[in-house]
Amino acid sequence: KSSLTTAMNYLLSNRDGLTCYLKDGYCDISNNTAENSIGLLPLGGKTGFLVTAKGAKASAIVYSLIKTAKANDLDPERYLKYLFEKLPNTANFKDAETLDQYLPWATKPQEKC
């Protein structure tokens, strides 16, 4: 029941998640890059958008799309516009296979954005 035992049990029970960076060269060993990027978000402001859980979740989704677009050499504004124009008119847009076609590394977004 020592602190060391608690830490070791945590490490062992989360081994897959803690070692995923070893399986994929694109994964960082830490989340510093992500945390530094999020630090650029305005907190609160007049709207208080990030104050609520729903606002924080919405911001995280949009910000993830922007950062992933940049990481895949897309123009984030064009990519978001592409998504907002195409996804609502796509049949089964909640289906994983359909959504795969809209990910930043997919062929169509690479051509259009």
Side-chain angles (χ1 to χ4, degrees):
K1 297 191 180 213
S2 70
S3 297
L4 180 59
T5 303
T6 302
M8 293 301 292
N9 285 331
Y10 175 82
L11 176 67
L12 293 171
S13 65
N14 292 286
R15 183 178 182 167
D16 288 341
L18 294 169
T19 60
C20 70
Y21 73 94
L22 297 172
K23 299 173 189 166
D24 186 341
Y26 290 106
C27 292
D28 286 330
I29 192 170
S30 74
N31 65 347
N32 287 343
T33 304
E35 287 182 1
N36 290 339
S37 296
I38 291 169
L40 301 174
L41 284 173
L43 296 175
K46 292 182 181 178
T47 62
F49 188 61
L50 293 178
V51 175
T52 67
K54 286 183 179 180
K57 183 176 180 180
S59 294
I61 290 168
V62 172
Y63 207 65
S64 293
L65 288 170
I66 291 169
K67 295 302 283 184
T68 306
K70 287 181 180 180
N72 286 275
D73 298 320
L74 299 181
D75 178 327
E77 186 175 345
R78 289 179 68 186
Y79 179 60
L80 288 176
K81 184 178 178 192
Y82 175 77
L83 292 178
F84 294 147
E85 288 174 351
K86 299 293 182 184
L87 278 176
N89 300 315
T90 301
N92 300 322
F93 76 89
K94 292 185 179 182
D95 177 62
E97 288 181 28
T98 302
L99 285 176
D100 283 348
Q101 300 168 20
Y102 292 93
L103 295 174
W105 49 85
T107 304
K108 288 274 184 166
Q110 283 289 322
E111 291 172 355
K112 302 283 184 183
C113 307

